[in-house]
Each structure stands twice: as C-alpha cells, then as structure tokens.
Amino acid sequence: MNARKRLLIIYTGGTIGMQQTPSGLAPARDLAADIQHMPELGQAFQTHPPVLETLSYEPLLDSSDMTPGRWVQIARDILQRYQHFDGFVVLHGTDTLAYTASALSFFLERSDKPVVITGSQLPFGWPRSDARNNLISALEIAANMPEAMTQVCVVFGSRILRGNRATKVSAKAYDAFDSPRYPHLGAIGIDVEYNRRRRFPVAFGNFAKQGRLPPDDAVALVRLFPGFSASTLRAICSNSNLGGIVLEAYGAGNGPSQNPAFREAIAEAVQRGVVVVVVSQPLDGIVRMSSYAAGNALARAGAISGRDMTTEAALTKLYYLIALGYSADNIAKKMKTPIAGEMRR
Ligand code: ASP
C-alpha cells in the first residue's frame, strides 16, 4: 500500500510570495518550484514525504483584493479535487486570511479533510522569513492532523487555530493570529502537539458546487464609535442588496441607549428584512445583551446576539446563509446557533 499522502497547495498570493517592485511589495513569485525543492521537506516527513501539487492563482493577489467570489472559488477548487487529495494547504495574504478561513469553514460543507491556511509575515527567501516554517508546518499538519479533528484551520507561527475562531492580532509578530475566544487547536514547537477539539462540518447543502453568489454588498460591517449617527446607519441600510449587518458594538454588546434615532434605524432595518448581528469589539469580548440596559436597547430594536463569534466569522456566516437563499427569520435563527464550531452553544 502506498502510504504517501497527496496534498494540494492552493497559492492565492500574499506576502509569502511577494517581491519588491517600484510601487512596493507585490505578489510576483511563482512559489511552486520553490516548494518542490525545499530540502527540509524530506526531513520533515522522513519515511513518507507527501506528493505535492500546486495550483497557483492568476493573478496572484494581495489579500486586500479578496472578495466573496474568491472565497467561493477556493472552496470550489478544493471540492473539484476533493477525492484526489488527502489534505489541502491554502497560501494566503495575512490581511484578510481570517475572513477566508471563516468563509471556507462554512462553504466547504461536509468536508472531513484537513484544510490548512497559512501565509507569512516576510516573503519567502528573505532573511529570518517565517515563510518556510509556516509552509512546512502547514504541510505536516495537512498530512497528519488526527482524523477526528480535521477541519479548516489556520497554521501560523507556533499556533494551530480553528479557522472560524481566528483573527489577525499582529502585523509584526510571527504569531500573527490568535483565537482569543477559543482554545488553540494545537501548538507548534519542537513537536506538533494537538489539543483535540472535534470538527463541526456544516451539514446544510451543496452551495459551493451549485449555488449562485449574492452581490458583495449583501452584507455590511459597522463599528460603533461615540457619536455614530443614525443617518449613517440609514444610508447603509438604504442599499436594496443588503441582507445583513454585523454591528461591532462595545463590550458585552452595548450601543447608545439614549439615542432613540439610532434604535429606530436598527428597528427599521430589521423590519425591512435586514438581519442585524451584534459582535463585541474587544478581542476577548462576548456579547451578553441582557447585561446592560444599553445592550438590551439593541436587542429590543431587533438586533440579535452573535455571542462569541469573531467579526470575520459573523460576516462570512451571514454571507453564506444569504447565499443559501434563506428567509431573514431563518438566517436570524441560524446566526444564533453554531453551525461549524464558530460560536459557543
Ligand atoms: N498585504 C499582504 C496580504 O494580505 C499582507 C500579508 O500577506 O502579510 O496579501
């Protein structure tokens, strides 16, 4: 029996393959050849090095250019090749990596193979670059992750994180990602150690294979700040494509309670069928709208609690549920329930 694992590397762009250009760092380097000739790979896998194939996107992207359509393209590329590979590694820019990781955890319905997303803070080949280490860790984990916990995960620096719990926490440190509201799935040191957390694949349908994408502006993200005005909210909600808003509120999910116009703007949006989901601004915040009168005011206006979801998970989950064509009531119900391990029960 051939014990060699088959891994597909999907290279979307990001700093990992960037080079200096007259206008700054830009994705330029074809990493496929570099990857095949990394001598460390042989040592990392000793007896059974994996069979690697690389799919490089054209054009390669700075991840600031990612769109929902591109999340779904990655999901479709994985699903089309699903039977031929044992695991998948997605190379991605760090800026929006957590959105893509969250989106894949929803759009890759029923997936039970490891999908590992990584990138780097410094380009491949630069002094002290983290690119090789992250890539080798990602490949090792895509090949060897214990079966009961295979899921969409972020592997970066010394951490293995659930994809839909991860968020970017540093633009400088090699541990660029964390999951402050959920335990790490594992630690990468001398050995790779797993903290066994089982997977929760979404079991809804077949969107990535068959579905049609809603417009990008079907979802919006609004961060509250002192003085945020009802008219700004109304202007956002006047877009007829809008199906849902993620509202980054304060602390336990609080918003201005002495500003009736703000509450009315939320209530109007909800009445028009826009699902308003409240998440917490602090990295380790959890929404408990009944803790304060200020949170209760948002709840009374019809906003629902995203509890401990990250902004990235809430936004991509909302987009996914809208893409499935569910009614606003059904979306609101599912936003309150974990569907892929993205929130606590
Ligand atoms: N701007 C880059 C990107 O997200 C940053 C990175 O990869 O670290 O593509």
Side-chain angles (χ1 to χ4, degrees):
M1 198 184 86
N2 184 358
R4 293 182 73 184
K5 293 279 177 79
R6 298 183 65 84
L7 302 180
L8 177 67
I9 301 169
I10 299 183
Y11 172 32
T12 68
T15 295
I16 192 162
M18 287 194 184
Q19 285 179 340
Q20 206 55 262
T21 71
S23 44
L25 283 172
R29 185 173 176 141
D30 178 9
L31 281 180
D34 295 298
I35 293 168
Q36 294 292 348
H37 296 115
M38 284 197 304
E40 304 93 315
L41 268 184
Q43 286 152 18
F45 287 90
Q46 290 168 2
T47 46
H48 299 301
V51 179
L52 302 180
E53 272 183 45
T54 307
L55 173 65
S56 295
Y57 280 4
E58 174 58 45
L60 293 167
L61 293 178
D62 185 299
S63 77
S64 352
D65 282 315
M66 274 282 157
T67 56
R70 295 186 198 270
W71 303 331
V72 175
Q73 183 192 344
I74 300 170
R76 288 186 169 141
D77 283 332
I78 290 174
L79 291 173
Q80 270 168 17
R81 296 158 181 82
Y82 198 72
Q83 298 312 330
H84 304 294
F85 293 94
D86 301 297
F88 302 86
V89 171
V90 178
L91 302 182
H92 198 288
T94 62
D95 287 340
T96 67
L97 186 150
Y99 286 92
T100 300
S102 296
L104 290 181
S105 79
F106 301 120
F107 281 101
L108 283 173
E109 297 147 331
R110 300 169 202 276
S111 160
D112 57 2
K113 294 183 179 177
V115 176
V116 178
I117 309 184
T118 194
S120 68
Q121 294 281 48
L122 287 173
F124 199 96
W126 282 28
R128 289 189 299 104
S129 169
D130 49 339
R132 293 174 102 87
N133 277 349
N134 286 350
L135 185 54
I136 290 166
S137 301
L139 290 168
E140 248 186 278
I141 290 161
N144 299 330
M145 183 169 235
E147 211 182 310
M149 64 182 289
T150 53
Q151 56 194 285
V152 177
C153 59
V154 173
V155 167
F156 212 100
S158 67
R159 296 172 180 160
I160 311 173
L161 309 170
R162 174 166 291 168
N164 55 31
R165 296 297 198 134
T167 195
K168 184 171 175 178
V169 292
S170 176
K172 293 197 270 190
Y174 289 134
D175 281 330
F177 291 86
D178 203 348
S179 57
R181 301 170 189 165
Y182 192 75
H184 295 178
L185 295 183
I188 304 160
I190 291 176
D191 297 312
V192 174
E193 285 170 9
Y194 292 98
N195 166 18
R196 288 170 192 262
R197 298 259 154 189
R198 65 190 180 89
R199 63 165 172 263
F200 293 88
V202 180
F204 285 174
N206 236 337
F207 181 84
K209 272 199 183 136
Q210 297 158 355
R212 280 172 59 98
L213 284 174
D216 292 354
D217 57 355
V219 288
L221 171 59
V222 171
R223 184 176 170 95
L224 290 188
F225 58 89
F228 182 86
S229 82
S231 57
T232 305
L233 191 59
R234 283 211 172 85
I236 293 170
C237 294
S238 66
N239 175 358
S240 59
N241 285 335
L242 192 70
I245 296 182
V246 175
L247 189 66
E248 277 192 354
Y250 309 123
N254 305 320
S257 60
Q258 300 189 8
N259 178 348
F262 176 75
R263 277 199 319 279
E264 278 156 25
I266 291 186
E268 277 164 29
V270 172
Q271 271 154 25
R272 283 192 24 227
V274 174
V275 179
V276 180
V277 184
V278 177
V279 296
S280 173
Q281 292 184 5
L283 276 179
D284 58 355
I286 297 179
V287 174
R288 290 194 182 91
M289 283 153 91
S290 53
S291 302
Y292 291 86
N296 251 324
L298 290 184
R300 269 188 278 112
I304 60 171
S305 167
R307 256 174 284 160
D308 57 341
M309 260 189 295
T310 60
T311 295
E312 294 90 333
L315 190 96
T316 54
K317 181 177 175 183
L318 206 41
Y319 186 82
Y320 167 69
L321 295 173
I322 292 170
L324 288 176
Y326 290 154
S327 68
D329 279 352
N330 203 358
I331 293 175
K333 204 157 60 190
K334 291 196 162 52
M335 287 303 293
K336 288 190 244 174
T337 323
I339 62 170
E342 76 285 4
M343 70 196 297
R344 62 169 59 174
R345 283 196 181 275

